[in-house]
Amino acid sequence: MKSNFNLNNLIRENIKSIKAYSSARDEYKDANVSEMIFLDANENPFENGVNRYPDPNQNNVKQLLSEIKGIDKRNLLLGNGSDEVLDLIFRAFCEPKEDNIITLPPTYGMYSVLANINAVENKTVLLDEDFQPQVKQIIGAADKNSKILFLCSPNNPTGNSFSEAIIRELLLKFKGLVVLDEAYIDFSAEESWLKNLEKHPNLIIIQTLSKAYGLAGIRLGACYASREIIAVLNTIKPPYNVNELTQQRAIKRLQVMDVIQNEVAQLVSERKRLHKELECCVSYIEKVYPSDGNFLLIKVDDATKRYNQLVTAGVVVRNRTTEALCKNCLRISVGICEENQILLRALKSIQ
């Protein structure tokens, strides 16, 4: 089944006519920058390491990510955290008070927050009892103003990955953009959808350096999509949206992929150990859900009671009992071995 996707039909009319702001660092791109005196950007000339504006295109970071992911730099946009990238997608493609998005609760809460901020209706279609998307209901909920479908896989807070066949069917049948949030993909045995970008022109993949890469504090998110989609987003992004310190720290971390892979392996091993211990050794835990993330969702007898007891014991988890399909559920991040031991002792000690 061939897609008849037309990106031009989705871009907001006012965005089509916008010309991107041209910064001083965009206008001068000579390779021999070390030999030049820069008097073009009204910067403080006294050198301290960050007195100059950062590379607005984050070329060095993108080059490393391009090599690691096997994706051309022209298919990549970086943002001040994934949340900025998601907000750019809303602002480029969703007309306020006219268009709508579709989300699949329980899911990442920022999709709904950003919809509200941008005055865009959020149509919700619950996942099924196995936490999988319901294709028929999703397509049935969509109308001519449905611009974006958000899929989070592995899903937060449930931890499971969505079926490849279901994602493929939605990419073919949904007439708008499909944003696939892969924040937790590095912890999963499932492959990223990055290799499918060229097959699906309506696919946008969101990843982050906050989870597996251990860089939550620097706020750096990545968007992979067709060059046409990336060009639209580049038109409206702030010129210096990723600061110099963030770029430097990301480069340093991306150069030690062996360390990152070792940390991920340890977390996956700890996740499996925790799953086994929680399932067999804590009486009030009713279910431990399978997870492809760096966390576990557990169902207990009384989530609020157990959450408060854990806090008293010095352990903070996330109470998800108010989320759809997650009544009496707690989400527990996988820590280092010592932290997980403290968690287990606390869970086993409370009555």
Side-chain angles (χ1 to χ4, degrees):
M1 182 177 177
K2 188 175 180 180
S3 171
N4 57 358
F5 175 75
N6 187 331
L7 179 64
N8 198 55
N9 293 338
L10 298 180
I11 305 171
R12 291 173 57 190
E13 287 302 319
N14 67 308
I15 300 298
K16 292 178 183 178
S17 60
I18 287 178
K19 183 179 179 181
Y21 174 76
S22 181
S23 70
R25 292 299 169 264
D26 281 315
E27 293 176 6
Y28 183 80
K29 300 178 181 178
D30 193 284
N32 298 317
V33 294
S34 61
E35 301 174 5
M36 305 302 293
I37 295 173
F38 287 99
L39 302 176
D40 59 341
N42 300 337
E43 299 153 321
N44 184 322
F46 295 96
E47 184 61 46
N48 62 24
V50 289
N51 57 304
R52 300 293 181 181
Y53 285 109
D55 175 7
N57 299 304
Q58 308 96 36
N59 283 298
N60 292 334
V61 182
K62 286 181 180 177
Q63 183 59 44
L64 282 170
L65 282 172
S66 174
E67 294 168 4
I68 292 166
K69 302 291 184 178
I71 296 293
D72 192 292
K73 288 198 302 183
R74 291 170 292 183
N75 295 97
L76 171 59
L77 175 104
L78 296 178
N80 180 16
S82 297
D83 293 339
E84 182 190 39
V85 174
L86 292 167
D87 188 48
L88 288 173
I89 294 169
F90 270 94
R91 290 194 282 139
F93 299 106
C94 293
E95 194 67 52
K97 299 183 180 181
E98 181 177 320
D99 291 330
N100 65 75
I101 63 163
I102 297 178
T103 62
L104 314 179
T107 192
Y108 181 44
M110 277 303 293
Y111 309 144
S112 176
V113 171
L114 290 169
N116 288 332
I117 290 171
N118 287 281
V120 173
E121 181 188 1
N122 177 22
K123 292 188 173 186
T124 59
V125 179
L126 291 180
L127 298 175
D128 67 18
E129 60 183 11
D130 296 315
F131 297 140
Q132 291 290 330
Q134 303 189 75
V135 176
K136 184 177 180 181
Q137 288 86 337
I138 292 168
I139 301 304
D143 57 32
K144 63 183 179 64
N145 293 322
S146 298
K147 290 292 188 69
I148 307 170
L149 168 63
F150 286 94
L151 305 177
C152 186
S153 181
N155 189 40
N156 177 16
T158 61
N160 65 299
S161 295
F162 293 160
S163 157
E164 181 179 344
I166 289 175
I167 294 176
R168 196 174 304 281
E169 185 176 1
L170 287 168
L171 281 165
L172 292 172
K173 290 184 176 180
F174 186 71
K175 298 185 185 303
L177 295 167
V178 176
V179 174
L180 179 57
D181 190 339
E182 291 188 336
Y184 300 95
I185 193 64
D186 299 281
F187 303 101
S188 175
E190 301 292 327
E191 283 191 57
S192 166
W193 276 75
L194 285 174
K195 65 182 185 298
N196 293 293
L197 276 180
E198 292 186 4
K199 298 177 185 176
H200 301 285
N202 60 331
L203 174 62
I204 298 177
I205 295 174
I206 305 295
Q207 294 188 357
T208 179
L209 275 73
S210 294
K211 309 300 181 185
Y213 291 82
L215 295 176
I218 72 169
R219 310 308 303 128
L220 187 61
C223 170
Y224 300 88
S226 69
R227 294 173 191 175
E228 292 76 14
I229 290 174
I230 296 299
V232 173
L233 299 177
N234 272 324
T235 300
I236 64 171
K237 84 168 185 66
Y240 302 113
N241 62 322
V242 179
N243 70 72
E244 179 66 22
L245 296 176
T246 288
Q247 293 187 46
Q248 290 178 12
R249 192 63 185 83
I251 289 168
K252 183 178 180 181
R253 182 66 166 166
L254 291 170
Q255 290 172 335
V256 291
M257 284 302 298
D258 56 332
V259 174
I260 294 169
Q261 289 163 358
N262 181 57
E263 290 175 359
V264 169
Q266 289 185 58
L267 289 171
V268 170
S269 177
E270 282 296 298
R271 182 188 72 199
K272 292 176 180 177
R273 182 175 75 89
L274 267 181
H275 190 287
K276 184 177 179 181
E277 289 272 349
L278 294 173
E279 206 165 39
C280 72
C281 303
V282 183
S283 61
Y284 54 82
I285 293 179
E286 299 176 5
K287 183 170 185 178
V288 182
Y289 292 92
S291 176
D292 286 330
N294 64 336
F295 59 90
L296 290 168
L297 186 73
I298 66 171
K299 185 177 179 63
V300 298
D301 55 350
D302 186 330
T304 300
K305 174 184 175 181
R306 302 307 179 185
Y307 171 84
N308 290 330
Q309 288 177 320
L310 283 171
V311 169
T312 300
V315 178
V316 182
V317 297
R318 199 82 186 269
N319 188 353
R320 300 283 78 185
T321 192
T322 59
E323 296 290 312
L325 308 179
C326 293
K327 183 175 176 58
N328 283 325
C329 285
L330 300 174
R331 193 194 70 191
I332 303 174
S333 301
V334 178
I336 61 175
C337 181
E338 293 80 3
E339 292 172 325
N340 297 331
Q341 286 300 109
I342 293 170
L343 165 72
L344 289 169
R345 285 197 295 268
L347 286 168
K348 291 174 183 178
S349 67
I350 60 180
Q351 301 298 318

